[in-house]
Amino acid sequence: MKLQEYHAKRLLLAQGLPVSDFAVASNPTEARTAAERFLEIGAGKVVIKAQVLVGGRGKAGGVKLASTPEEAAACAAQILGMDIKGTTVRRVLVAPGADIVAEYYLSCLLDRSSRRVLFMASADGGVEIEVVAVERPDAIVYLHAHPLLGLLDYQARVLAFKVGLGNHLREFVAIAKGLYATMIANDADLVEINPLGVVRTVGTDGTITETLECIDAKITIDDSALVRHPDLELMRDLDEEDPVDIAAREQGLSFIKLEGNIGCMVNGAGLAMTTMDLIKRAGGAPANFLDVGGGAKADKVAAAMRLILADPNVRSILVNIFGGIARGDEIARGLVEARSMQERHVPMVVRIVGTNADLAAQILARAGDADLQTATSLDEAVQKAVAVALASTAPVGGAAA
Ligand code: GDP
Ligand code: MN
């Protein structure tokens, strides 16, 4: 789950990281009030930032600086309602504008292949790290935290020197260790600061100081760990989630959309993966991963069918149920019911074995649905589902190339 910048910054603040004070506004008046407060306590400018879960807000015009409350309200009015990469801006963050001298990049993420936390740092901050990785790969420093002890001080110092922040050593070490702490405390799989700014402040006596500050923050939480963090679950932004994902979660279904055209309805994650593998081997492509769970009942089957059919690419549906706790007849009844209600008619191949498989077969036969085939073995089911999908996507006339 991706967090909005203002949520991510709260998590950073909780670990003692240097993040400026900020407010969240959903209309220009609120933005003006917040700006007034920051300008009164000495900020020369305020920054107004679109809160959407996509990167590149700066380039899209979603980050603006203002010098007066009126200007801040005008900027907020411009940004709110703006479309950034297909997402409508509903909230802005208002903060004292930083006088940024230089922009760096620092992140930590879960590196599954090494089973460790990987730190990435670069002096080329403020631009997308994916671009840096392609264009100037040498500009990124990589370092794995110790698997048991976390990021050690000397490792953080190595990072600092390699990106040229040796003159901000103490601050940098504290920030890098703070990112690690944020990651562990929240079961995050990514904590990214881009840019990590060198920020200039002028004291009342005119002395200039330069300090490091987290200007932007991006955190993603491991979905599987959210049960341990009800407070983070509350940060979920339903406005920016795919309605299909929301529906799947509400129904307790594990559903992941894929690129293919064969919808899959299977009980059990392992069986679902096997089914997808066999589809691939038979020359087809699964449209989704879907585990309806152990004791799936008719209503869950119907909900699963709606999710599958919400994808316009789907040309055939493969149902593969190994009845243990799940009863074959319940599933079959759910399938027949779901098909009678659906508007779009897509051919379906059903293989139900195990508990009450014989009853299931009777129910399916009685339905008298010409587009519903049954199969007894998984191989047979896969062959049929792939054949149907291929036939429906073959060019008209069927001329072979
Ligand atoms: P992103 O484009 O979505 O990654 O949004 P960022 O928060 O990273 O902002 C984009 C850019 O806006 C940064 O790289 C900075 O150059 C600039 N920016 C953001 N906040 C401030 C600020 O407080 N002061 C100044 N001068 N520039 C800022
Ligand atoms: Mn950024």
Side-chain angles (χ1 to χ4, degrees):
M1 178 178 81
K2 290 184 187 172
L3 297 185
Q4 295 286 4
E5 178 188 1
Y6 68 97
H7 283 137
K9 284 186 165 171
R10 279 181 201 158
L11 299 187
L12 295 180
L13 282 168
Q15 299 296 331
L17 284 148
V19 176
S20 80
D21 194 5
F22 63 85
V24 181
S26 44
N27 60 56
T29 311
E30 286 173 6
R32 177 202 302 261
T33 310
E36 242 161 26
R37 177 158 69 88
F38 294 132
L39 292 168
E40 251 168 40
I41 57 174
K45 284 186 174 181
V46 289
V47 63
I48 323 288
K49 305 177 72 177
Q51 296 298 285
V52 283
L53 297 174
V54 291
R57 293 164 301 165
K59 256 191 223 154
V63 178
K64 293 186 195 297
L65 289 164
S67 307
T68 64
E70 290 65 41
E71 213 185 312
C75 289
Q78 264 185 305
I79 295 173
L80 289 162
M82 186 184 264
D83 183 284
I84 300 182
K85 297 182 184 168
T87 307
T88 307
V89 181
R90 291 180 170 83
R91 278 177 297 267
V92 290
L93 178 147
V94 183
D99 180 4
I100 304 173
V101 182
E103 302 195 350
Y104 290 80
Y105 174 94
L106 180 65
S107 71
C108 61
L109 57 128
L110 185 64
D111 177 15
R112 291 176 202 278
S113 59
S114 70
R115 294 178 290 170
R116 290 175 197 208
V117 172
L118 174 66
F119 274 79
M120 291 169 64
S122 177
D124 287 10
V127 289
E128 280 175 62
I129 197 67
E130 292 82 359
V131 176
V132 180
V134 172
E135 293 177 357
R136 295 178 302 281
D138 293 343
I140 305 176
V141 181
Y142 299 87
L143 186 145
H144 285 103
H146 188 284
L148 301 175
L149 304 173
L151 185 74
L152 298 166
D153 286 35
Y154 87 88
Q155 294 185 304
R157 289 196 293 269
V158 167
L159 281 178
F161 284 119
K162 284 198 173 169
V163 297
L165 275 174
N167 50 341
H168 288 279
L169 205 54
R170 268 170 203 278
E171 288 169 86
F172 184 90
V173 170
I175 290 171
K177 294 184 80 167
L179 292 201
Y180 186 86
T182 305
M183 184 168 192
I184 300 302
N186 300 289
D187 286 316
D189 42 32
L190 169 74
V191 181
E192 182 186 68
I193 310 301
N194 188 22
L196 172 64
V198 176
V199 172
R200 176 176 295 163
T201 43
V202 184
T204 42
D205 58 352
T207 50
I208 292 172
T209 42
E210 289 186 356
T211 51
L212 297 181
E213 186 183 312
C214 305
I215 301 292
D216 188 11
K218 181 172 161 187
I219 295 181
T220 66
I221 307 292
D222 180 345
D223 288 313
S224 303
L226 278 169
V227 286
R228 310 208 294 196
H229 303 283
D231 48 332
L232 297 181
E233 178 64 51
L234 294 176
M235 296 179 176
R236 189 184 286 285
D237 196 330
L238 292 178
D239 288 334
E240 289 197 46
E241 278 199 8
D242 189 329
V244 169
D245 291 340
I246 296 174
R249 201 170 45 248
E250 280 171 356
Q251 295 289 338
L253 299 164
S254 303
F255 182 95
I256 296 163
K257 195 186 165 330
L258 300 168
E259 303 303 315
N261 61 7
I262 300 175
C264 301
M265 188 189 302
V266 188
N267 66 330
L271 190 57
M273 287 191 276
T274 306
T275 307
M276 287 161 43
D277 282 348
L278 290 178
I279 288 174
K280 278 278 190 186
R281 195 174 66 173
N288 65 279
F289 167 93
L290 170 57
D291 172 11
V292 291
K297 291 261 171 25
D299 56 339
K300 231 180 185 186
V301 170
M305 189 64 75
R306 281 196 296 277
L307 290 181
I308 291 174
L309 287 170
D311 178 356
N313 292 336
V314 170
R315 292 286 176 272
S316 74
I317 299 171
L318 172 53
V319 179
N320 183 23
I321 301 294
F322 191 91
I325 300 168
R327 286 170 37 196
D329 55 326
E330 272 271 5
I331 303 272
R333 212 167 290 124
L335 288 173
V336 172
E337 197 183 301
R339 278 179 85 75
S340 69
M341 289 188 299
Q342 77 207 24
E343 286 155 26
R344 227 176 111 218
H345 214 71
V346 175
M348 184 156 81
V349 180
V350 184
R351 178 221 182 202
I352 298 178
V353 293
T355 311
N356 292 354
D358 45 349
L359 285 177
Q362 287 172 25
I363 292 166
L364 294 176
R366 233 182 292 136
D369 185 336
D371 275 335
L372 192 157
Q373 306 183 60
T374 55
T376 45
S377 79
L378 179 50
D379 279 325
E380 181 196 352
V382 167
Q383 297 293 345
K384 285 181 172 171
V386 171
V388 171
L390 286 178
S392 81
T393 50
V396 179

